[in-house]
Amino acid sequence: MSAITIGQAVVLGIVEGVTEFLPVSSTGHLKITEGLMNIPVGDKAVVAFTAVIQVGAIAAVFVYFFRDIVRFLTAWGRGLAHREQRDNHDYRFTWWVIWATIPIVLVGLAAKPLIEGPLASLWVVAGSLIVGSGVMWAADQLGRHKRGEEDTTFKDAMLVGCSQILALLFPGFSRSGATMSTGLILDLNRVAATRLSFFLGLPALTGAGIYELKDAVGAGADIAPLVVGTVVSFAVAYASIAWLLKFVAKHSFNAFVIYRLVIGVLLFGLLGAGVLNA
């Protein structure tokens, strides 16, 4: 492959930062952007590059939620050391995040050839954007929004964690969209569902970025574009996280549903007209 340029890395970093945590599919937007810039979407180095720059967005979560993460890890450490501390919700929640990450890791490793092969098609992205929109709309309408973050249970964490598999297998469905929708179906309020999506995404996405790093470099992705893309995605993602949490506190997910539908239909049109190569 031709190496991704610095300019392309900046563009991809911005797209990753804006879309990683919005329920609109960062993978889908990255694939569309790569297609428009004539970057080979299915190339192993490109697939690895997009996984690595996710680390920048994930780092933004670590920074933004630093106090929460310290609180969770402190409670976890105390619980490991002292049995009487194990009834603490933060201690149990940390274990739930760990357990809820296992399904997506197992499926990711087992289905890697499919994920990087047939399922990477832009046709799949377009269809998943539209289908995911329907799921999100239904979840937002049917959910009762009555449970807060302190009401989450092991069942909630496992179901939300497993929903990440949808986005893994069907790029365009959106990891954030799948997890937030599942949280809403479980009657969590929008802020609680959004925060749970952030916390459950930390181990899976961090692990994916680190795992793909060797492939990105080994397959021809230069270090400089990787660094630039990762730094840009961090800065943009931090701003995106702050905006999203304020938005969901006062608004429904309808704006995201409409946007996804428009992008999905537009993508089908561009593919059908031959403007983009699937």
Side-chain angles (χ1 to χ4, degrees):
M1 64 165 284
S2 299
I4 293 177
T5 67
I6 296 294
Q8 291 172 331
V10 170
V11 173
L12 293 175
I14 292 173
V15 172
E16 164 63 24
V18 170
T19 62
E20 179 60 54
F21 301 110
L22 301 186
V24 296
S25 175
S26 62
T27 301
H29 279 74
L30 284 169
K31 289 183 181 296
I32 293 170
T33 305
E34 290 162 358
L36 292 173
M37 293 194 296
N38 293 317
I39 297 173
V41 174
D43 189 286
K44 290 184 177 180
V46 175
V47 173
F49 176 89
T50 57
V52 172
I53 65 173
Q54 284 181 331
V55 175
I58 291 298
V61 178
F62 278 105
V63 173
Y64 192 90
F65 293 105
F66 180 75
R67 291 183 179 178
D68 293 289
I69 294 170
V70 170
R71 190 182 81 243
F72 292 140
L73 292 179
T74 299
W76 189 57
R78 288 174 178 169
L80 291 176
H82 306 286
R83 184 180 297 274
E84 64 273 13
Q85 296 289 329
R86 295 177 187 177
D87 286 333
N88 184 290
H89 185 273
D90 291 341
Y91 167 79
R92 289 179 291 161
F93 182 80
T94 306
W95 271 118
W96 298 345
V97 170
I98 294 172
W99 285 111
T101 301
I102 294 176
I104 191 174
V105 172
L106 295 178
V107 173
L109 293 174
K112 195 170 187 287
L114 284 175
I115 295 168
E116 296 182 353
L119 294 178
S121 168
L122 287 178
W123 288 108
V124 175
V125 171
S128 299
L129 277 166
I130 293 174
V131 172
S133 298
V135 173
M136 186 183 301
W137 179 84
D140 202 16
Q141 296 299 312
L142 298 176
R144 290 179 288 179
H145 314 290
K146 67 177 185 178
R147 300 171 57 214
E149 187 175 342
E150 67 281 356
D151 300 316
T152 54
T153 65
F154 175 67
K155 176 184 175 182
D156 296 330
M158 288 303 297
L159 289 174
V160 173
C162 287
S163 72
Q164 296 178 109
I165 295 172
L166 285 171
L168 184 66
L169 297 178
F170 304 105
F173 203 96
S174 169
R175 189 203 65 82
S176 295
T179 52
M180 291 177 192
S181 296
T182 303
L184 292 174
I185 291 171
L186 294 169
D187 293 330
L188 293 175
N189 62 46
R190 295 186 182 99
V191 173
T194 301
R195 283 174 59 88
L196 184 58
S197 173
F198 282 129
F199 295 137
L200 284 172
L202 284 174
L205 292 177
T206 302
I210 294 173
Y211 179 81
E212 294 285 1
L213 180 58
K214 64 182 189 305
D215 293 334
V217 177
D222 293 337
I223 292 296
L226 277 174
V227 172
V228 170
T230 302
V231 171
V232 171
S233 72
F234 168 83
V236 176
Y238 188 91
S240 180
I241 293 168
W243 176 84
L244 178 62
L245 287 170
K246 291 180 180 178
F247 181 86
V248 299
K250 299 179 179 179
H251 302 85
S252 72
F253 284 90
N254 288 343
F256 298 118
V257 171
I258 295 171
Y259 174 80
R260 289 170 58 102
L261 286 172
V262 171
I263 295 298
V265 171
L266 178 61
L267 182 55
F268 269 127
L270 291 174
L271 290 169
V275 176
L276 286 178
N277 188 328

mmCIF file of all heavy atoms in Angstrom, residues 238-263:
data_model
loop_
_atom_site.group_PDB
_atom_site.id
_atom_site.type_symbol
_atom_site.label_atom_id
_atom_site.label_comp_id
_atom_site.label_asym_id
_atom_site.label_seq_id
_atom_site.Cartn_x
_atom_site.Cartn_y
_atom_site.Cartn_z
ATOM 1 N N TYR A 238 -11.739 14.256 23.166
ATOM 2 C CA TYR A 238 -11.970 14.863 24.479
ATOM 3 C C TYR A 238 -13.108 15.884 24.394
ATOM 4 O O TYR A 238 -14.010 15.898 25.238
ATOM 5 C CB TYR A 238 -10.688 15.537 24.983
ATOM 6 C CG TYR A 238 -10.784 16.013 26.414
ATOM 7 C CD1 TYR A 238 -10.393 15.184 27.463
ATOM 8 C CD2 TYR A 238 -11.275 17.273 26.728
ATOM 9 C CE1 TYR A 238 -10.480 15.604 28.787
ATOM 10 C CE2 TYR A 238 -11.372 17.707 28.039
ATOM 11 C CZ TYR A 238 -10.970 16.859 29.065
ATOM 12 O OH TYR A 238 -11.083 17.284 30.368
ATOM 13 N N ALA A 239 -13.058 16.721 23.355
ATOM 14 C CA ALA A 239 -14.110 17.717 23.166
ATOM 15 C C ALA A 239 -15.444 17.036 22.852
ATOM 16 O O ALA A 239 -16.509 17.463 23.317
ATOM 17 C CB ALA A 239 -13.733 18.673 22.044
ATOM 18 N N SER A 240 -15.387 15.963 22.088
ATOM 19 C CA SER A 240 -16.599 15.232 21.705
ATOM 20 C C SER A 240 -17.277 14.594 22.913
ATOM 21 O O SER A 240 -18.513 14.616 23.033
ATOM 22 C CB SER A 240 -16.241 14.147 20.680
ATOM 23 O OG SER A 240 -17.379 13.418 20.286
ATOM 24 N N ILE A 241 -16.483 14.049 23.837
ATOM 25 C CA ILE A 241 -17.028 13.430 25.053
ATOM 26 C C ILE A 241 -17.767 14.469 25.890
ATOM 27 O O ILE A 241 -18.888 14.239 26.348
ATOM 28 C CB ILE A 241 -15.896 12.796 25.891
ATOM 29 C CG1 ILE A 241 -15.288 11.603 25.150
ATOM 30 C CG2 ILE A 241 -16.421 12.357 27.257
ATOM 31 C CD1 ILE A 241 -13.994 11.110 25.764
ATOM 32 N N ALA A 242 -17.129 15.614 26.091
ATOM 33 C CA ALA A 242 -17.740 16.677 26.902
ATOM 34 C C ALA A 242 -19.060 17.128 26.287
ATOM 35 O O ALA A 242 -20.065 17.321 26.999
ATOM 36 C CB ALA A 242 -16.765 17.847 27.021
ATOM 37 N N TRP A 243 -19.061 17.279 24.971
ATOM 38 C CA TRP A 243 -20.277 17.723 24.296
ATOM 39 C C TRP A 243 -21.378 16.673 24.397
ATOM 40 O O TRP A 243 -22.543 16.994 24.680
ATOM 41 C CB TRP A 243 -19.981 18.003 22.827
ATOM 42 C CG TRP A 243 -21.222 18.367 22.055
ATOM 43 C CD1 TRP A 243 -21.801 19.599 21.956
ATOM 44 C CD2 TRP A 243 -22.064 17.467 21.313
ATOM 45 N NE1 TRP A 243 -22.948 19.528 21.202
ATOM 46 C CE2 TRP A 243 -23.130 18.234 20.785
ATOM 47 C CE3 TRP A 243 -22.007 16.103 21.042
ATOM 48 C CZ2 TRP A 243 -24.134 17.674 20.007
ATOM 49 C CZ3 TRP A 243 -23.007 15.537 20.260
ATOM 50 C CH2 TRP A 243 -24.051 16.308 19.744
ATOM 51 N N LEU A 244 -21.042 15.398 24.182
ATOM 52 C CA LEU A 244 -22.047 14.335 24.171
ATOM 53 C C LEU A 244 -22.758 14.214 25.512
ATOM 54 O O LEU A 244 -23.991 14.079 25.566
ATOM 55 C CB LEU A 244 -21.393 13.003 23.806
ATOM 56 C CG LEU A 244 -22.324 11.784 23.799
ATOM 57 C CD1 LEU A 244 -23.424 11.965 22.764
ATOM 58 C CD2 LEU A 244 -21.529 10.506 23.517
ATOM 59 N N LEU A 245 -22.002 14.257 26.617
ATOM 60 C CA LEU A 245 -22.617 14.107 27.932
ATOM 61 C C LEU A 245 -23.583 15.261 28.236
ATOM 62 O O LEU A 245 -24.622 15.058 28.870
ATOM 63 C CB LEU A 245 -21.538 14.020 29.007
ATOM 64 C CG LEU A 245 -20.767 12.700 29.027
ATOM 65 C CD1 LEU A 245 -19.565 12.792 29.948
ATOM 66 C CD2 LEU A 245 -21.686 11.553 29.459
ATOM 67 N N LYS A 246 -23.254 16.446 27.788
ATOM 68 C CA LYS A 246 -24.159 17.578 27.977
ATOM 69 C C LYS A 246 -25.394 17.429 27.082
ATOM 70 O O LYS A 246 -26.510 17.744 27.488
ATOM 71 C CB LYS A 246 -23.433 18.894 27.648
ATOM 72 C CG LYS A 246 -22.348 19.266 28.645
ATOM 73 C CD LYS A 246 -21.668 20.573 28.264
ATOM 74 C CE LYS A 246 -20.584 20.935 29.264
ATOM 75 N NZ LYS A 246 -19.869 22.192 28.887
ATOM 76 N N PHE A 247 -25.180 16.916 25.872
ATOM 77 C CA PHE A 247 -26.280 16.777 24.917
ATOM 78 C C PHE A 247 -27.316 15.762 25.389
ATOM 79 O O PHE A 247 -28.520 16.034 25.394
ATOM 80 C CB PHE A 247 -25.731 16.374 23.551
ATOM 81 C CG PHE A 247 -26.784 16.223 22.490
ATOM 82 C CD1 PHE A 247 -27.213 17.318 21.763
ATOM 83 C CD2 PHE A 247 -27.349 14.973 22.221
ATOM 84 C CE1 PHE A 247 -28.205 17.187 20.787
ATOM 85 C CE2 PHE A 247 -28.338 14.830 21.252
ATOM 86 C CZ PHE A 247 -28.762 15.944 20.532
ATOM 87 N N VAL A 248 -26.860 14.567 25.790
ATOM 88 C CA VAL A 248 -27.804 13.501 26.160
ATOM 89 C C VAL A 248 -28.542 13.804 27.460
ATOM 90 O O VAL A 248 -29.581 13.196 27.743
ATOM 91 C CB VAL A 248 -27.097 12.129 26.265
ATOM 92 C CG1 VAL A 248 -26.495 11.733 24.932
ATOM 93 C CG2 VAL A 248 -26.043 12.131 27.373
ATOM 94 N N ALA A 249 -28.002 14.729 28.245
ATOM 95 C CA ALA A 249 -28.683 15.093 29.493
ATOM 96 C C ALA A 249 -29.984 15.845 29.220
ATOM 97 O O ALA A 249 -30.891 15.857 30.056
ATOM 98 C CB ALA A 249 -27.762 15.941 30.367
ATOM 99 N N LYS A 250 -30.106 16.430 28.026
ATOM 100 C CA LYS A 250 -31.271 17.267 27.731
ATOM 101 C C LYS A 250 -32.006 16.881 26.446
ATOM 102 O O LYS A 250 -33.082 17.419 26.170
ATOM 103 C CB LYS A 250 -30.843 18.742 27.634
ATOM 104 C CG LYS A 250 -30.240 19.292 28.915
ATOM 105 C CD LYS A 250 -29.824 20.746 28.739
ATOM 106 C CE LYS A 250 -29.233 21.319 30.022
ATOM 107 N NZ LYS A 250 -28.805 22.743 29.851
ATOM 108 N N HIS A 251 -31.413 15.982 25.654
ATOM 109 C CA HIS A 251 -32.016 15.666 24.362
ATOM 110 C C HIS A 251 -32.148 14.163 24.159
ATOM 111 O O HIS A 251 -31.441 13.371 24.787
ATOM 112 C CB HIS A 251 -31.172 16.245 23.214
ATOM 113 C CG HIS A 251 -30.968 17.718 23.275
ATOM 114 N ND1 HIS A 251 -29.960 18.301 24.022
ATOM 115 C CD2 HIS A 251 -31.645 18.740 22.690
ATOM 116 C CE1 HIS A 251 -30.017 19.617 23.884
ATOM 117 N NE2 HIS A 251 -31.030 19.910 23.089
ATOM 118 N N SER A 252 -33.048 13.782 23.240
ATOM 119 C CA SER A 252 -33.196 12.383 22.856
ATOM 120 C C SER A 252 -32.106 12.041 21.838
ATOM 121 O O SER A 252 -31.295 12.891 21.462
ATOM 122 C CB SER A 252 -34.573 12.147 22.223
ATOM 123 O OG SER A 252 -34.631 12.732 20.928
ATOM 124 N N PHE A 253 -32.123 10.794 21.371
ATOM 125 C CA PHE A 253 -31.149 10.350 20.375
ATOM 126 C C PHE A 253 -31.659 10.526 18.945
ATOM 127 O O PHE A 253 -31.032 10.045 18.000
ATOM 128 C CB PHE A 253 -30.799 8.878 20.612
ATOM 129 C CG PHE A 253 -29.884 8.648 21.775
ATOM 130 C CD1 PHE A 253 -30.385 8.435 23.049
ATOM 131 C CD2 PHE A 253 -28.511 8.652 21.608
ATOM 132 C CE1 PHE A 253 -29.545 8.231 24.129
ATOM 133 C CE2 PHE A 253 -27.658 8.451 22.677
ATOM 134 C CZ PHE A 253 -28.175 8.242 23.948
ATOM 135 N N ASN A 254 -32.772 11.224 18.773
ATOM 136 C CA ASN A 254 -33.386 11.349 17.451
ATOM 137 C C ASN A 254 -32.461 11.984 16.417
ATOM 138 O O ASN A 254 -32.472 11.604 15.241
ATOM 139 C CB ASN A 254 -34.683 12.156 17.537
ATOM 140 C CG ASN A 254 -35.796 11.375 18.208
ATOM 141 O OD1 ASN A 254 -35.715 10.151 18.329
ATOM 142 N ND2 ASN A 254 -36.839 12.068 18.655
ATOM 143 N N ALA A 255 -31.670 12.960 16.840
ATOM 144 C CA ALA A 255 -30.765 13.623 15.897
ATOM 145 C C ALA A 255 -29.759 12.622 15.325
ATOM 146 O O ALA A 255 -29.448 12.655 14.122
ATOM 147 C CB ALA A 255 -30.026 14.773 16.589
ATOM 148 N N PHE A 256 -29.263 11.725 16.173
ATOM 149 C CA PHE A 256 -28.321 10.713 15.708
ATOM 150 C C PHE A 256 -29.009 9.701 14.787
ATOM 151 O O PHE A 256 -28.426 9.239 13.809
ATOM 152 C CB PHE A 256 -27.694 9.985 16.889
ATOM 153 C CG PHE A 256 -26.895 10.876 17.801
ATOM 154 C CD1 PHE A 256 -27.260 11.052 19.124
ATOM 155 C CD2 PHE A 256 -25.780 11.559 17.328
ATOM 156 C CE1 PHE A 256 -26.528 11.875 19.963
ATOM 157 C CE2 PHE A 256 -25.042 12.384 18.151
ATOM 158 C CZ PHE A 256 -25.422 12.550 19.479
ATOM 159 N N VAL A 257 -30.257 9.363 15.110
ATOM 160 C CA VAL A 257 -31.016 8.420 14.289
ATOM 161 C C VAL A 257 -31.179 8.974 12.877
ATOM 162 O O VAL A 257 -30.925 8.285 11.884
ATOM 163 C CB VAL A 257 -32.403 8.146 14.911
ATOM 164 C CG1 VAL A 257 -33.277 7.346 13.945
ATOM 165 C CG2 VAL A 257 -32.252 7.387 16.226
ATOM 166 N N ILE A 258 -31.596 10.235 12.781
ATOM 167 C CA ILE A 258 -31.798 10.866 11.471
ATOM 168 C C ILE A 258 -30.482 10.964 10.709
ATOM 169 O O ILE A 258 -30.416 10.663 9.507
ATOM 170 C CB ILE A 258 -32.428 12.269 11.648
ATOM 171 C CG1 ILE A 258 -33.835 12.139 12.245
ATOM 172 C CG2 ILE A 258 -32.466 13.015 10.322
ATOM 173 C CD1 ILE A 258 -34.457 13.460 12.653
ATOM 174 N N TYR A 259 -29.429 11.381 11.401
ATOM 175 C CA TYR A 259 -28.124 11.513 10.749
ATOM 176 C C TYR A 259 -27.654 10.170 10.185
ATOM 177 O O TYR A 259 -27.193 10.083 9.046
ATOM 178 C CB TYR A 259 -27.094 12.045 11.758
ATOM 179 C CG TYR A 259 -25.689 12.081 11.213
ATOM 180 C CD1 TYR A 259 -25.269 13.115 10.376
ATOM 181 C CD2 TYR A 259 -24.780 11.073 11.519
ATOM 182 C CE1 TYR A 259 -23.981 13.152 9.864
ATOM 183 C CE2 TYR A 259 -23.481 11.100 11.008
ATOM 184 C CZ TYR A 259 -23.097 12.133 10.184
ATOM 185 O OH TYR A 259 -21.828 12.157 9.663
ATOM 186 N N ARG A 260 -27.797 9.112 10.971
ATOM 187 C CA ARG A 260 -27.370 7.782 10.531
ATOM 188 C C ARG A 260 -28.159 7.333 9.298
ATOM 189 O O ARG A 260 -27.595 6.744 8.364
ATOM 190 C CB ARG A 260 -27.544 6.774 11.661
ATOM 191 C CG ARG A 260 -26.569 6.914 12.816
ATOM 192 C CD ARG A 260 -27.009 6.022 13.964
ATOM 193 N NE ARG A 260 -27.081 4.635 13.518
ATOM 194 C CZ ARG A 260 -26.155 3.707 13.775
ATOM 195 N NH1 ARG A 260 -25.100 4.022 14.487
ATOM 196 N NH2 ARG A 260 -26.293 2.489 13.332
ATOM 197 N N LEU A 261 -29.450 7.592 9.302
ATOM 198 C CA LEU A 261 -30.277 7.218 8.158
ATOM 199 C C LEU A 261 -29.827 7.942 6.893
ATOM 200 O O LEU A 261 -29.716 7.331 5.822
ATOM 201 C CB LEU A 261 -31.749 7.536 8.447
ATOM 202 C CG LEU A 261 -32.473 6.607 9.425
ATOM 203 C CD1 LEU A 261 -33.849 7.166 9.765
ATOM 204 C CD2 LEU A 261 -32.603 5.207 8.836
ATOM 205 N N VAL A 262 -29.567 9.230 7.040
ATOM 206 C CA VAL A 262 -29.126 10.030 5.887
ATOM 207 C C VAL A 262 -27.799 9.505 5.346
ATOM 208 O O VAL A 262 -27.631 9.312 4.133
ATOM 209 C CB VAL A 262 -29.003 11.523 6.270
ATOM 210 C CG1 VAL A 262 -28.329 12.316 5.142
ATOM 211 C CG2 VAL A 262 -30.372 12.103 6.579
ATOM 212 N N ILE A 263 -26.840 9.262 6.243
ATOM 213 C CA ILE A 263 -25.528 8.771 5.820
ATOM 214 C C ILE A 263 -25.640 7.383 5.198
ATOM 215 O O ILE A 263 -25.001 7.080 4.182
ATOM 216 C CB ILE A 263 -24.549 8.737 7.019
ATOM 217 C CG1 ILE A 263 -24.271 10.151 7.524
ATOM 218 C CG2 ILE A 263 -23.237 8.067 6.607
ATOM 219 C CD1 ILE A 263 -23.618 11.055 6.500
#
